[in-house]
Amino acid sequence: MEPGVDAGAKQVSPERYKRMERRFVLFLVLSFAILLGYSALMQRLNPPKPQQQAAARKEREQPSAKKPKAEIPVEKPRDKPAPEIKAAIEPEPEQPEQWVTLGSADHKDPFRMLVTLTTKGAALARIELNDPRYCDIDERYGYLGHLASMSDHEGNGCLVRFVGRGTPAAEAGLKPGDVLKAIDASPVSGPKSLEAVLRGTRPGQKVQLSIVRDGKPSTLTAKLRRRPLDVVRPEGDDPLSMLLTLQRFDDLRIDHQEKEEEKEDAAAAENNGRKDAIRPRHEAVSRELDGLKLRTANWRLVESDQLYATFSRKLPEMGLEITKTYRLIVVPEQSMADKNYPAYHLEFEVEIRNIGNQSHEVAYRLDGPNGLPTEGKWYAYKVSRNWGGSGLRDFIISFDGGTPGMINATAVADGDVPPPWPDESLSFIGVDAQYFSAVLIPHRKNRAEAWFEELTPICVGKVDPKQKNWANTSCRLTSVPTTLEPNGPPLRHIMKLFAGPKRPSLLANKEYRLDELVYYGWPIFAAVAVPLTKLLHVLYAVTFNYGLAIILLTVLIRGCMFPLSRKQVIGAQKMQQLQPEIKKIQEQHKKNPEARTKAQQELFRKHNYNPLSGCLPIFIQMPVFIGLYRALMVDIELRDAPLLSNAIRWCSNLAAPDMLFDWSGFMPAWVNDGQGIFGLGPYFNLLPILTIVLFIAQQKMFMPPPTDEQSAMQQKIMQYMMIFMGLLFFKVASGLCIYFIASSLWGLGERQFLPKAAPVAAAAETRAQAKAHARQTAAKTKKS
């Protein structure tokens, strides 16, 4: 007999229990199959498409439609591929690669970021935020500073190519040209071994740097720090950010070359019978006009200092000179304490000048920022703007200050994207991560002026087929063709490259107008999440700890709900009292469900019991649960907020699982990768286990004992569901677990302080004795 089943209840045979269990397992399997099938159907029927005007789509799809506001020459299709210009180009003398840094990694300096640039392609390599609140939450070892390219070969020491201002390396006195030989007693042979040695250190640790400078050995002392967050960074062998090339030069066009290459690939694949003869998509992203190497050649560094850098590349036979300039924003001294001062951007300027003696029609192709963080990729969940779900780095675009459209990383990786958009008052375009974004904002006097012919998402680098939602996404901007006269006005475009946190007060600044980047989901979710987030910030201002703020929030909510919770407990006690009576009614009306229902309703009415009274506290807490869950997924202030301290790993980030210890060394790969329901991740989490244990304790305390087969089966299903919930909760944010733990402990405490219920028979006997005593007392009073 099941424990807790009333002694008078009908005993259930083992064979029947087995049949019920098989039905329950079948129910779970069918539920999962329906859920997966529905998800696949929705992705097929509702592919992610950004919101755009119907007229704009017709303009792209119909050749005869009205053209964009700038005149775009229409060229007839070619029967022959465009002629190569290799022989016509004399590239500038090759120069060694140089690295330039702007800004500082020290938050005390008047900058918000440290920017690293390279002459190779005049590209943006890295943007590091210097605010101590925005540190890397995955890599928690000591930070010395980025000193060299990871593509450098391992050798006899690590050649220091650049040293960013404000880094521990700069504070220790390390300089470009030094050769780092060892850190403490650990030898260093190159960039990769340097990173391996640093992985054995911790923030705050002092280390000895053994270097060789001008042929002489020397020793420096550096105090390591916590690694700052890279909003933009190099990612393996993927192309860097802000690479530019010519899309069109007179009759030469990249898209014509692409079509010819696609025909050649298709013919080769057909002749060889091999699909691998087709060039991968990530190689097509880096195409240039034949003979051009603007993406890979070293540009000339014209001038640079701590605030700006200008790169130039001449194309003599084309008669063109292309210039790229990066400018960093300085924070005024009086605004240093203002965390919302708009200095989280670079000004990026591209200029194409005709230095020849003939007019030319040119257009450029610019690839935007990429390499955004994939922090918490085994547990992170980003709120999606469409039915297709979201990735860690999604393409985002907005026109005329309207609601942004999003294409998730998986769709970009699969090439499942809509036709390119024309420039119709482009507001911003770029990449959106969970807590940070990197977007380009055109800086033009006339918003109606069309700068770009095509705007489209691209996938940078190779894609792991098993992890497409982690794909390195970027954006591509193709300018409207412009005729440049000899020594005439150049083609000049200036854009802001915002690369910073998604903090609402910062994004709403008139310099950016990016407040739409913060997205809590449907309006009904935002209506709950936004006020709850603000309340958490108020409680944090009192406690200076978001963990305590969540506990205070729980106490506040449960305190306000005490009358309802008390009514729920009393209702559960009444239900336990009424179980024998309910059992009698069920036995009496076995074959008459209608009569049984009426009898139960009369019993409930007689004892003033409402079966739905216990559901009200749950319904009231649901918005709090949803709001807190959304706040932890969206609010930048809760990211990296510790329960105790950032010095220990456990509960160091309330927006992530608690990560008690690393078990990746002895768990299989399919568990460590965090993918799917059984992908639990590389860490063991304690708080979800405590949460489920408290849920089970509450269930046993509040749920009445079963009186028949149906109620026994329901309780058995609830036990299975608790185990299933444990799997779902295992990667949930620790801040949410703290809320559930505090709420469950409050509920258990409430139950202890409330009076215990008496059995219904005993209660009836007590009432009868009280009435008899009252009659005797009245009779005596009358006689006297």
Side-chain angles (χ1 to χ4, degrees), residues 58-351:
K58 290 180 181 179
E59 196 171 53
R60 294 305 306 153
E61 294 176 352
Q62 297 178 3
S64 60
K66 185 180 177 181
K67 298 177 184 177
K69 297 172 184 177
E71 280 293 317
I72 303 175
V74 179
E75 183 178 354
K76 295 181 179 179
R78 296 170 175 268
D79 295 329
K80 295 190 276 186
E84 295 188 358
I85 59 173
K86 291 182 179 179
I89 294 180
E90 292 181 6
E92 291 184 339
E94 285 297 328
Q95 301 176 1
E97 184 178 10
Q98 294 178 262
W99 297 83
V100 180
T101 60
L102 311 179
S104 172
D106 188 348
H107 68 280
K108 297 177 183 177
D109 289 332
F111 307 101
R112 293 288 189 244
M113 57 182 68
L114 173 65
V115 180
T116 305
L117 308 169
T118 174
T119 57
K120 187 175 182 180
L124 170 64
R126 193 183 302 270
I127 296 179
E128 304 170 71
L129 302 184
N130 61 19
D131 192 321
R133 292 173 298 175
Y134 307 134
C135 294
D136 196 307
I137 62 176
D138 291 332
E139 308 294 350
R140 306 180 70 86
Y141 53 85
Y143 170 75
L144 180 63
H146 299 283
L147 308 175
S149 170
M150 293 304 293
S151 61
D152 287 355
H153 297 293
E154 300 289 309
N156 188 20
C158 179
L159 175 63
V160 178
R161 294 183 175 271
F162 54 91
V163 179
R165 179 177 175 177
T167 60
E171 294 172 353
L174 205 62
K175 297 180 179 180
D178 293 344
V179 179
L180 181 59
K181 292 286 191 177
I183 296 180
D184 287 339
S186 302
V188 173
S189 59
K192 294 180 181 178
S193 66
L194 170 61
E195 184 176 3
V197 171
L198 287 174
R199 286 184 178 275
T201 63
R202 63 184 184 278
Q205 179 180 345
K206 288 187 176 181
V207 295
Q208 300 297 314
L209 308 179
S210 301
I211 67 169
V212 175
R213 178 179 295 170
D214 299 329
K216 299 178 182 179
S218 180
T219 302
L220 303 174
T221 301
K223 185 177 181 179
L224 304 180
R225 294 204 301 259
R226 201 174 161 196
R227 180 171 178 167
L229 180 88
D230 299 336
V231 179
V232 174
R233 62 178 177 179
E235 191 158 317
D237 296 327
D238 294 358
L240 298 179
S241 300
M242 308 305 289
L243 291 172
L244 178 144
T245 189
L246 290 181
Q247 161 72 16
R248 178 170 184 167
F249 178 75
D250 292 336
D251 291 337
L252 301 173
R253 296 182 59 160
I254 292 182
D255 50 358
H256 289 165
Q257 293 183 186
E258 289 174 345
K259 291 178 182 178
E260 293 301 326
E261 289 179 4
E262 289 174 3
K263 291 180 181 178
E264 293 174 5
D265 289 347
E270 185 177 354
N271 293 334
N272 300 333
R274 295 167 50 198
K275 292 184 178 180
D276 58 359
I278 300 177
R279 273 167 267 215
R281 190 185 300 117
H282 71 271
E283 293 183 6
V285 168
S286 301
R287 283 193 182 104
E288 297 192 69
L289 291 175
D290 290 331
L292 280 183
K293 295 182 180 179
L294 291 174
R295 295 172 59 97
T296 57
N298 287 321
W299 292 43
R300 181 171 61 91
L301 179 61
V302 179
E303 55 181 340
S304 69
D305 63 10
Q306 194 179 355
L307 301 178
Y308 72 95
T310 300
F311 304 89
S312 176
R313 183 77 177 174
K314 289 184 178 180
L315 306 175
E317 294 301 324
M318 285 183 164
L320 299 178
E321 181 180 17
I322 306 176
T323 303
K324 294 167 69 174
T325 302
Y326 300 86
R327 300 185 187 90
L328 189 60
I329 306 304
V330 179
V331 182
E333 185 176 355
Q334 65 271 19
S335 301
M336 285 292 292
D338 182 8
K339 63 180 182 180
N340 294 320
Y341 185 84
Y344 283 96
H345 70 278
L346 287 166
E347 280 191 358
F348 174 74
E349 178 181 330
V350 55
E351 179 182 286

